[in-house]
């Protein structure tokens, strides 16, 4: 037994580790990271990028890694048995006075266990952990050996990939390429893990989750209910209309006939100004009114954005299947939903959830009921869309300001009403959220 044997064994374990790291790094690295490095002139990234972007080349890249892992493992076992195994068998014969067959069997088992342990720890677990933690670095550092391996194994890869696809086709399974794709649920889990790891703040997690699930929110969930909509009657006299428009903090107002259940158009401040400048008289509501776009309450958030873009409208009227107005959805409100702040150009700040010094949390009545858990730690399971709707559905009545009630295990104080609608509530929670409170400027 000499040093050459250990050098060869170490080389084979290192080769196995390299192929393992290359495989996990190639699958785990984000294409955008490699693309950014390539655009900045990183020569390794330029060479690696085509193998990450093209699914066929990525398949070959992974196949080369797997061939390298298999060959290095087989050669390691065979070489170890031929060298260490033989030397250990002779040693057992002399020291333990064992027969040749028994010594060889014992030596084979000892060497197998020893090499397997080293292979698993140094050649599998360690490089895999490093590749998952540092995918960009490992993907770049292993690129050159992998490029040489791709050339060396090219014929073998083509044969193995072809054979594999034929077998999959025979058993009726469609071959799928390696792709860097994640479902919304998986992305949500990654966001949650980043939040738990301290990389994201609570309000940042909320924004990302809202954007991720925008297509799952309906117009009914995103709209401002009609009882909160400021609107004007079609019969409003011109002077009163002018006063309403001047005093309103909005650039446009819906127009209704008989009741808010029947929105028939939209009136814009600039149209009244333009009419007065041209005709020197104030217009009636009918003269200044524009048509409006109506959408069903089941339309999803992504479709709402598309309809706004196509119709060049920032406000849509939400109706049910009978055509009865349910509320108003605006681009500003959708942006506020996504960013949990005040959208640029909005003239009225939306009431936001906030933690209070006394340990309670203030929740807006229009907060989505599923977001309650992010602020109180206790989920509310309800068919209602908002906190206000859930509270009134549980109580089966309109509560009074200052009234305290227990809702799903939480003590809730009705802080403020807007007419018959709950504007905000104070919730007593036993959690200690101060560390998660978003600070100004964060």
């Amino acid at each position: 037994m000499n040093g050459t044997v250990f050098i060869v064994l170490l080389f084979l374990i290192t080769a196995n580790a390299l192929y393992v790291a290359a495989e996990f790094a190639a699958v785990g690295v984000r294409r955008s990271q490699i693309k950014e490095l390539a655009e900045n002139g990183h020569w390794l990234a330029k060479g690696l990028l085509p193998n990450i972007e093209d699914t066929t080349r990525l398949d070959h890249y992974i196949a080369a890694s797997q061939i390298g892992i298999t060959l290095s493992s087989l050669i390691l076992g065979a070489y170890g048995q031929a060298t260490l195994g033989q030397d250990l068998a002779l040693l057992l014969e002399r020291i333990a006075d064992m027969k040749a067959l028994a010594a060889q069997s014992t030596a084979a088992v000892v060497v197998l266990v020893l090499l397997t342990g080293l292979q698993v720890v140094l050649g599998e677990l360690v490089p895999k952990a490093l590749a998952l933690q540092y995918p960009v670095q490992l993907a770049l550092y292993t690129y050159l050996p992998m490029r040489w391996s791709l050339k060396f194994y090219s014929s073998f890869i083509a044969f193995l990939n072809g054979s594999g696809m034929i077998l999959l086709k025979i058993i009726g399974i469609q071959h799928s390429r390696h792709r860097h794709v994640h479902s919304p649920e998986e992305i949500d889990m990654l966001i949650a893990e980043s939040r738990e790891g301290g990389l994201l703040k609570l309000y940042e997690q909320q924004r990302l989750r809202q954007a991720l699930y925008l297509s799952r929110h309906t117009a009914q969930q995103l709209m401002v209910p009609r009882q909160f909509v400021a609107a004007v009657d079609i019969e409003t006299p011109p002077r009163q209309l002018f006063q309403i428009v001047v005093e309103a903090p909005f650039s446009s107002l819906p127009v209704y006939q008989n009741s808010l259940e029947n929105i028939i158009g939209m009136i814009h401040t600039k149209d009244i100004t333009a009419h007065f400048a041209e005709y020197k008289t104030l217009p009636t509501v009918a003269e200044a009114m524009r048509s409006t776009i109506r959408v069903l309450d089941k339309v999803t958030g992504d479709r709402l954005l598309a309809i706004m873009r196509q119709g060049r409208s920032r406000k849509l009227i939400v109706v049910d299947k009978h055509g009865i107005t349910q509320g108003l959805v605006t681009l500003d409100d959708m942006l506020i939903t996504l960013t949990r702040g005040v959208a640029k150009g909005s003239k009225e700040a939306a009431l936001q959830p906030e933690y209070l010094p006394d340990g309670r949390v203030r929740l807006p009545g229009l907060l989505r009921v599923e977001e309650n858990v992010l602020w109180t730690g206790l989920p509310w399971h309800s068919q209602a869309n908002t906190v206000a709707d859930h509270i009134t559905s549980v109580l089966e009545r309109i509560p009074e300001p200052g009234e305290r009630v227990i809702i799903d295990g939480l003590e809730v104080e009705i802080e403020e009403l807007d007419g018959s609608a709950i504007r905000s509530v104070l919730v007593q929670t036993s959690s200690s959220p101060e560390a998660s409170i978003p600070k100004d400027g964060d």
Side-chain angles (χ1 to χ4, degrees), residues 386-397:
T386 65
V387 167
D389 290 343
H390 178 62
I391 293 173
T392 53
S393 65
V394 171
L395 298 178
E396 297 183 335
R397 60 180 174 82

Side-chain angles (χ1 to χ4, degrees), residues 361-367 369 372 380-400 403-408 410-417 420-427:
V361 59
R362 174 181 286 116
L363 300 180
L366 293 178
L367 184 73
V369 71
N372 169 69
W380 284 354
H381 303 289
S382 173
Q383 298 298 318
N385 294 321
T386 65
V387 167
D389 290 343
H390 178 62
I391 293 173
T392 53
S393 65
V394 171
L395 298 178
E396 297 183 335
R397 60 180 174 82
I398 303 299
E400 297 293 331
E403 182 179 351
R404 295 191 178 188
V405 295
I406 301 297
I407 304 293
D408 296 338
L410 290 176
E411 181 182 320
V412 178
E413 180 181 341
I414 310 302
E415 182 182 33
E416 184 180 354
L417 294 182
S420 61
I422 299 174
R423 175 172 168 76
S424 63
V425 298
L426 303 177
V427 180

